[in-house]
Amino acid sequence: MKKIDYEVKHYKKTLTTKEFFDNFYNFELVQGYCKECPRYDTNYSCSPLNINIEKFVNEYDFIDIHVTQLFFEPEDYKKDYDSEELKELLYNTFFKEKQKVVDKVLKSEKEYTKAQSLTGPCNHCAENCKELYSKCKHPEIRRYSLASIGMDSRKILKEIFDIELLLINGVLPKYLNNITSILYKK
Protein backbone atom coordinates (compact mmCIF):
# COMPACT_ATOMS: atom_id res chain seq x y z
CA MET A 1 0.00 0.00 0.00
CA LYS A 2 1.29 3.45 -0.87
CA LYS A 3 2.02 5.96 1.88
CA ILE A 4 -1.16 7.74 2.85
CA ASP A 5 -1.31 11.37 3.94
CA TYR A 6 -3.53 12.42 6.78
CA GLU A 7 -4.09 15.28 9.19
CA VAL A 8 -4.03 14.79 12.96
CA LYS A 9 -5.86 16.97 15.45
CA HIS A 10 -5.40 16.68 19.20
CA TYR A 11 -7.82 17.82 21.90
CA LYS A 12 -7.52 17.73 25.68
CA LYS A 13 -9.92 18.39 28.52
CA THR A 14 -9.42 18.09 32.29
CA LEU A 15 -12.30 17.17 34.61
CA THR A 16 -12.58 16.25 38.24
CA THR A 17 -12.97 12.51 38.64
CA LYS A 18 -16.32 13.05 40.38
CA GLU A 19 -17.64 15.06 37.43
CA PHE A 20 -16.24 12.47 35.03
CA PHE A 21 -17.78 9.51 36.85
CA ASP A 22 -21.15 11.20 37.43
CA ASN A 23 -21.53 12.30 33.79
CA PHE A 24 -20.06 9.42 31.80
CA TYR A 25 -20.43 6.21 33.79
CA ASN A 26 -23.00 3.98 32.09
CA PHE A 27 -21.90 0.47 32.90
CA GLU A 28 -24.90 -1.45 31.54
CA LEU A 29 -24.85 0.33 28.16
CA VAL A 30 -21.09 0.01 27.69
CA GLN A 31 -20.98 -3.59 28.86
CA GLY A 32 -23.54 -4.42 26.19
CA TYR A 33 -20.95 -3.31 23.60
CA CYS A 34 -18.14 -5.07 25.44
CA LYS A 35 -20.02 -8.38 25.42
CA GLU A 36 -20.01 -8.25 21.61
CA CYS A 37 -16.20 -8.13 21.54
CA PRO A 38 -14.35 -11.42 20.96
CA ARG A 39 -11.96 -10.43 23.78
CA TYR A 40 -14.75 -10.13 26.37
CA ASP A 41 -13.78 -11.88 29.62
CA THR A 42 -10.43 -13.05 28.21
CA ASN A 43 -8.11 -10.29 29.48
CA TYR A 44 -7.53 -8.85 32.97
CA SER A 45 -7.70 -5.29 31.65
CA CYS A 46 -11.00 -5.83 29.80
CA SER A 47 -14.54 -6.37 30.93
CA PRO A 48 -15.75 -7.69 33.21
CA LEU A 49 -13.43 -6.29 35.88
CA ASN A 50 -13.39 -7.47 39.45
CA ILE A 51 -12.97 -4.00 41.01
CA ASN A 52 -15.19 -1.33 42.54
CA ILE A 53 -15.11 1.07 39.60
CA GLU A 54 -16.49 4.13 41.40
CA LYS A 55 -13.90 3.71 44.17
CA PHE A 56 -11.13 3.14 41.60
CA VAL A 57 -11.96 6.35 39.67
CA ASN A 58 -12.44 8.45 42.80
CA GLU A 59 -9.05 7.45 44.23
CA TYR A 60 -7.81 10.20 41.91
CA ASP A 61 -8.66 13.92 41.78
CA PHE A 62 -8.60 14.66 38.05
CA ILE A 63 -8.72 13.05 34.65
CA ASP A 64 -7.13 14.40 31.48
CA ILE A 65 -8.99 13.20 28.41
CA HIS A 66 -6.92 13.23 25.22
CA VAL A 67 -8.64 12.83 21.86
CA THR A 68 -6.74 12.16 18.67
CA GLN A 69 -8.65 12.68 15.45
CA LEU A 70 -7.40 11.68 11.98
CA PHE A 71 -8.63 13.07 8.67
CA PHE A 72 -7.64 11.69 5.28
CA GLU A 73 -7.44 13.06 1.74
CA PRO A 74 -10.69 13.02 -0.31
CA GLU A 75 -9.36 10.37 -2.70
CA ASP A 76 -8.64 8.02 0.23
CA TYR A 77 -12.34 7.92 1.12
CA LYS A 78 -13.33 6.95 -2.44
CA LYS A 79 -11.16 3.81 -2.51
CA ASP A 80 -12.86 0.47 -1.92
CA TYR A 81 -10.53 -1.21 0.61
CA ASP A 82 -10.51 -4.94 1.12
CA SER A 83 -10.18 -6.04 4.76
CA GLU A 84 -6.38 -6.44 4.56
CA GLU A 85 -5.87 -3.03 2.95
CA LEU A 86 -8.08 -1.36 5.55
CA LYS A 87 -6.23 -3.16 8.33
CA GLU A 88 -2.88 -1.98 6.92
CA LEU A 89 -4.15 1.58 6.52
CA LEU A 90 -5.34 1.63 10.16
CA TYR A 91 -2.05 0.16 11.38
CA ASN A 92 0.01 2.76 9.47
CA THR A 93 -2.10 5.74 10.52
CA PHE A 94 -4.59 5.37 13.36
CA PHE A 95 -2.69 2.90 15.54
CA LYS A 96 0.59 4.72 14.93
CA GLU A 97 -0.92 8.02 16.12
CA LYS A 98 -2.71 6.33 19.01
CA GLN A 99 0.56 4.82 20.22
CA LYS A 100 2.25 8.24 20.23
CA VAL A 101 -0.40 9.57 22.62
CA VAL A 102 -0.37 6.42 24.75
CA ASP A 103 3.42 6.64 25.13
CA LYS A 104 3.18 10.31 26.09
CA VAL A 105 0.40 9.68 28.64
CA LEU A 106 2.16 6.68 30.18
CA LYS A 107 5.33 8.74 30.54
CA SER A 108 3.36 11.54 32.24
CA GLU A 109 2.26 9.16 35.04
CA LYS A 110 5.62 9.88 36.70
CA GLU A 111 4.75 13.57 37.05
CA TYR A 112 2.03 12.97 39.63
CA THR A 113 1.80 11.75 43.23
CA LYS A 114 -0.48 8.98 42.01
CA ALA A 115 -1.62 8.32 38.45
CA GLN A 116 -3.10 5.63 36.22
CA SER A 117 -3.51 5.85 32.47
CA LEU A 118 -6.54 4.40 30.76
CA THR A 119 -4.89 3.02 27.63
CA GLY A 120 -6.11 -0.60 27.56
CA PRO A 121 -6.66 -3.24 26.63
CA CYS A 122 -3.41 -4.61 27.95
CA ASN A 123 -1.33 -6.98 25.82
CA HIS A 124 1.82 -7.31 27.94
CA CYS A 125 1.72 -11.09 28.29
CA ALA A 126 -1.09 -12.38 26.07
CA GLU A 127 -4.38 -11.14 24.63
CA ASN A 128 -6.19 -14.00 26.36
CA CYS A 129 -4.34 -13.85 29.69
CA LYS A 130 -7.46 -14.80 31.74
CA GLU A 131 -7.59 -18.09 29.90
CA LEU A 132 -3.89 -18.75 30.59
CA TYR A 133 -3.33 -17.44 34.14
CA SER A 134 -5.35 -17.48 37.35
CA LYS A 135 -4.46 -13.80 38.01
CA CYS A 136 -2.81 -10.89 36.24
CA LYS A 137 0.92 -11.48 35.85
CA HIS A 138 1.76 -7.76 35.58
CA PRO A 139 -0.70 -5.67 37.65
CA GLU A 140 1.93 -2.91 37.96
CA ILE A 141 1.81 -2.25 34.20
CA ARG A 142 -1.77 -3.31 33.39
CA ARG A 143 -3.96 -0.45 32.21
CA TYR A 144 -7.73 -0.55 31.82
CA SER A 145 -9.72 0.89 28.95
CA LEU A 146 -12.51 3.44 29.30
CA ALA A 147 -15.01 0.79 28.22
CA SER A 148 -13.85 -1.72 30.81
CA ILE A 149 -14.63 0.77 33.59
CA GLY A 150 -18.05 1.51 32.07
CA MET A 151 -17.37 4.94 30.57
CA ASP A 152 -19.47 5.97 27.59
CA SER A 153 -16.97 7.09 24.91
CA ARG A 154 -19.73 8.20 22.56
CA LYS A 155 -21.08 10.58 25.21
CA ILE A 156 -17.57 11.80 26.16
CA LEU A 157 -16.79 12.67 22.54
CA LYS A 158 -20.14 14.39 21.96
CA GLU A 159 -20.57 16.32 25.20
CA ILE A 160 -16.98 17.42 25.76
CA PHE A 161 -15.57 17.72 22.25
CA ASP A 162 -18.70 17.95 20.03
CA ILE A 163 -17.45 14.99 17.98
CA GLU A 164 -19.66 12.14 16.77
CA LEU A 165 -18.30 8.64 17.32
CA LEU A 166 -17.98 6.99 13.92
CA LEU A 167 -17.45 3.27 13.60
CA ILE A 168 -15.21 1.73 10.97
CA ASN A 169 -17.54 -1.15 9.96
CA GLY A 170 -15.38 -2.20 7.00
CA VAL A 171 -15.09 1.26 5.42
CA LEU A 172 -12.97 4.31 6.13
CA PRO A 173 -15.21 6.79 8.00
CA LYS A 174 -14.80 10.55 7.41
CA TYR A 175 -12.51 10.67 10.47
CA LEU A 176 -11.09 8.33 13.10
CA ASN A 177 -11.01 9.05 16.84
CA ASN A 178 -9.11 7.70 19.79
CA ILE A 179 -9.55 8.58 23.46
CA THR A 180 -6.65 8.09 25.85
CA SER A 181 -6.96 9.27 29.45
CA ILE A 182 -5.02 9.60 32.67
CA LEU A 183 -6.43 9.68 36.20
CA TYR A 184 -4.17 11.48 38.69
CA LYS A 185 -3.60 13.17 42.03
CA LYS A 186 -1.44 16.29 42.00
Side-chain angles (χ1 to χ4, degrees):
M1 175 177 274
K2 72 174 181 75
K3 183 180 180 297
I4 190 164
D5 293 321
Y6 57 93
E7 176 186 0
V8 181
K9 293 185 179 181
H10 297 278
Y11 308 96
K12 178 183 167 188
K13 179 75 174 180
T14 302
L15 301 174
T16 66
T17 52
K18 179 174 179 4
E19 179 183 12
F20 176 70
F21 186 86
D22 290 349
N23 289 327
F24 301 109
Y25 181 73
N26 191 341
F27 191 79
E28 294 306 317
L29 172 74
V30 176
Q31 289 308 290
Y33 301 131
C34 288
K35 287 177 182 175
E36 295 174 15
C37 177
R39 293 185 69 180
Y40 182 77
D41 204 15
T42 64
N43 189 297
Y44 286 108
S45 70
C46 286
S47 298
L49 299 179
N50 191 19
I51 63 170
N52 178 321
I53 295 170
E54 183 172 13
K55 182 179 176 201
F56 168 75
V57 170
N58 287 316
E59 287 176 8
Y60 303 92
D61 299 323
F62 299 98
I63 183 167
D64 287 347
I65 303 165
H66 299 266
V67 171
T68 305
Q69 192 173 44
L70 277 68
F71 296 89
F72 298 91
E73 298 296 324
E75 63 269 14
D76 297 319
Y77 295 107
K78 294 175 185 168
K79 186 169 181 342
D80 187 21
Y81 299 97
D82 66 33
S83 62
E84 283 304 310
E85 288 173 319
L86 186 57
K87 190 175 177 179
E88 184 179 347
L89 181 142
L90 293 173
Y91 178 78
N92 291 322
T93 60
F94 178 72
F95 292 110
K96 180 175 113 181
E97 295 301 329
K98 175 186 175 185
Q99 192 59 51
K100 287 179 187 177
V101 176
V102 167
D103 291 345
K104 180 181 169 185
V105 169
L106 286 170
K107 185 177 178 184
S108 75
E109 285 182 347
K110 298 175 181 92
E111 299 171 12
Y112 302 104
T113 307
K114 180 177 181 178
Q116 171 108 64
S117 301
L118 300 172
T119 59
C122 172
N123 294 309
H124 293 292
C125 56
E127 282 188 6
N128 62 337
C129 57
K130 267 189 180 178
E131 296 168 1
L132 301 172
Y133 310 111
S134 61
K135 64 180 184 175
C136 179
K137 293 287 188 187
H138 302 286
E140 73 284 358
I141 57 175
R142 173 191 59 223
R143 298 296 181 266
Y144 302 121
S145 66
L146 284 172
S148 69
I149 63 169
M151 296 302 165
D152 186 344
S153 294
R154 182 181 304 266
K155 188 174 179 185
I156 291 168
L157 284 170
K158 185 62 181 162
E159 290 188 10
I160 296 177
F161 301 99
D162 197 25
I163 296 172
E164 295 293 330
L165 177 66
L166 301 179
L167 302 178
I168 296 170
N169 290 333
V171 298
L172 186 63
K174 66 181 179 179
Y175 53 79
L176 297 169
N177 297 313
N178 176 64
I179 303 175
T180 302
S181 302
I182 182 170
L183 299 159
Y184 60 93
K185 284 182 159 299
K186 286 197 172 186

